[in-house]
Amino acid sequence: MNERRALHESIAGAAVLGSLAVVWGIAAQSRVLLFDGAFILLGIVLSALSLMASRAAADVPSARFPFGKAAVTPLAIAVQGVALLGTLLYAAVDAVAVITAGGADVEPGTVLAYGLITMTCSYALARWLTHRAPDSELVAAEVAQWRAGALLSLVFAVGGGLALALADVGDVVRYVDPVLVLVACLVLLPIPLRLLRAAGLELLEARPPAEVRRVLAEAVTSVREEFGLDEPFVRATKLGSRLYVEVDFVVAEGAWDVTGEDRVRRALIGRLEPLGYDLWANVELTADPTLAR
């Protein structure tokens, strides 16, 4: 399965770059490199979590889980968001403490070289993963982290370059390392917030994304016109790779039978299948409007 292979490759990439950052950071006594290494290595744990979520979400429904485990996907994404947010908070507090203590001696050329190397690797890995599993939400979360890592590395490189240019200006260089950590936290902050928002909306059964709503509306209109039905009551939500759809048509009493209802259901499902989701569609025809609301 492409999704799981991509997650394995993301874990391998994180192990290499994270180890490089930690070793380099210890050797250079640089907090910003250590922070980046810790952030990347944390990604290994989160990638492993995504891998387990992928396997769990693929399980078929059982007696204990009659609706399957589709909710594990947004749950795993929410855990990723919380973990990343906690890491950023800790790093920001530590950076402020270093600044108030008078800064730290770090060779800016080291930061510049590290930033250029990791920026190239992170961007390349993000592009590779995008092509490996373009439709996977779990892999999309990994890609978002690698793209942010590439942007963060660019910030490191720019900061290291500025520090080299200002090396003769007082004690400015002493504050480059902790200031870059704070800048990194600000750059990365939208990622956990975005992950938490997306996962929270799914777990609360909010409406599906705009593209899904558009296709659903077109499908319902097409089915209505084909079978001469009135405007139905429509409810839909997305949970991981599963799309739940409920469409209730109010019809004249005695005008339809079960066979006719099945034809309407099949017609709607056929129009929604191209979306690529695990579709759970419930289409009902009722003569009682109170049962449709």
Side-chain angles (χ1 to χ4, degrees):
M1 186 177 180
N2 287 339
E3 180 182 69
R4 294 178 194 171
R5 280 198 295 269
L7 291 173
H8 277 117
E9 290 163 358
S10 181
I11 291 172
V16 173
L17 286 182
S19 299
L20 171 67
V22 170
V23 172
W24 201 338
I26 292 174
Q29 295 185 342
S30 170
R31 273 181 167 78
V32 71
L33 267 62
L34 284 171
F35 164 70
D36 196 45
F39 192 84
I40 294 173
L41 292 177
L42 173 63
I44 294 178
V45 178
L46 300 181
S47 296
L49 176 64
S50 295
L51 191 57
M52 290 187 290
S54 174
R55 289 171 177 162
D59 288 347
V60 297
S62 63
R64 186 176 183 183
F65 298 98
F67 294 97
K69 301 175 183 176
V72 75
T73 297
L75 182 60
I77 292 174
V79 171
Q80 286 183 324
V82 171
L84 294 176
L85 193 60
T87 302
L88 297 182
L89 179 60
Y90 175 82
V93 171
D94 181 68
V96 171
V98 173
I99 291 173
T100 56
D105 290 320
V106 175
E107 172 55 47
T110 295
V111 178
L112 172 61
Y114 172 82
L116 292 175
I117 293 171
T118 55
M119 177 183 67
T120 303
C121 294
S122 297
Y123 181 72
L125 190 52
R127 285 183 60 85
W128 173 259
L129 293 175
T130 299
H131 292 300
R132 289 290 271 172
D135 299 323
S136 168
E137 291 186 5
L138 291 172
V139 174
E142 295 288 313
V143 170
Q145 291 184 52
W146 283 112
R147 285 177 177 167
L151 178 59
L152 184 59
S153 295
L154 176 60
V155 171
F156 294 163
V158 171
L162 288 175
L164 282 174
L166 300 173
D168 296 327
V169 183
D171 292 330
V172 172
V173 175
R174 290 183 56 81
Y175 295 95
V176 168
D177 199 56
V179 168
L180 283 178
V181 172
L182 289 177
V183 172
C185 291
L186 290 175
V187 170
L188 294 173
L189 183 60
I191 296 177
L193 295 180
R194 187 164 56 246
L195 292 176
L196 287 171
R197 181 179 183 276
L201 288 174
E202 287 202 14
L203 291 172
L204 291 174
E205 299 183 348
R207 64 183 185 177
E211 176 61 20
V212 175
R213 298 199 305 271
R214 183 189 65 79
V215 174
L216 176 58
E218 292 175 354
V220 169
T221 299
S222 176
V223 169
R224 278 201 320 107
E225 293 174 350
E226 179 180 348
F227 292 94
L229 295 165
D230 293 333
E231 188 72 33
F233 294 90
V234 180
R235 301 172 185 84
T237 190
K238 187 182 80 69
L239 194 60
S241 61
R242 181 170 297 164
L243 178 64
Y244 292 95
V245 176
E246 181 177 331
V247 182
D248 297 326
F249 292 96
V250 178
V251 298
E253 186 173 352
W256 289 80
D257 57 16
V258 174
T259 301
E261 184 180 60
D262 288 345
R263 289 200 303 271
V264 175
R265 181 181 293 110
R266 291 193 188 96
L268 182 65
I269 290 174
R271 288 167 170 80
L272 295 178
E273 282 179 343
L275 282 170
Y277 289 101
D278 176 15
L279 183 63
W280 286 46
N282 183 28
V283 181
E284 293 185 357
L285 275 61
T286 178
D288 186 349
T290 63
L291 296 177
R293 292 189 176 91

